[in-house]
Amino acid sequence: MEELSFENGKQLFVPKGFLHGFMTLEPETEIIYKCSDYYAPACDGAVRWDSCGIEWPLKRTIPILSEKDRAAQLFAEFETPFLYEGGQ
C-alpha cells in the first residue's frame, strides 16, 4: 500500500491488466488517471474491496462505494481475462 498526496508528489504506475484500487483519505479528493487507451466499459471489472486481504485505513465502518464496487465479485471468484506471455 502506498499513500499518494499533493504534498509528497508521488505517482503510481499500474501496468495494463493489473487489478488495482484506491481509497481517498480526505473529502473533495480529485483523482487523475493516465490510461493506455480509450475507456472500454466492456473490459472494466471489479472485485470486492474487502475480499483481497488489504487492511484499508477506514475512518468509518462501511466506506462510500460506487454502484459498480458494491456489486463487485469476491477476489477468490475473479478469473482474469489476461494471459501471461512472459518467461519461466
Side-chain angles (χ1 to χ4, degrees):
M1 189 175 332
E2 188 66 43
E3 186 171 326
L4 312 178
S5 70
F6 176 81
E7 290 76 23
N8 69 29
K10 292 182 180 181
Q11 298 178 28
L12 183 66
F13 173 74
V14 181
K16 185 172 20 176
F18 274 66
L19 188 61
H20 60 283
F22 64 88
M23 171 186 172
T24 61
L25 300 174
E26 300 292 333
E28 307 295 324
T29 300
E30 193 171 304
I31 306 294
I32 300 172
Y33 284 93
K34 182 175 182 179
C35 300
S36 60
D37 209 339
Y38 293 101
Y39 175 60
C43 297
D44 202 6
V47 297
R48 281 205 12 206
W49 67 277
D50 59 351
S51 69
C52 302
I54 296 171
E55 291 187 36
W56 298 95
L58 297 175
K59 293 183 182 176
R60 50 189 298 155
T61 307
I62 300 174
I64 299 168
L65 302 171
S66 68
E67 174 125 358
K68 179 181 99 174
D69 289 339
R70 280 193 301 273
Q73 64 186 315
L74 296 174
F75 180 69
E77 298 170 353
F78 178 73
E79 291 186 32
T80 181
F82 297 96
L83 300 174
Y84 177 67
E85 297 177 353
Q88 299 281 349

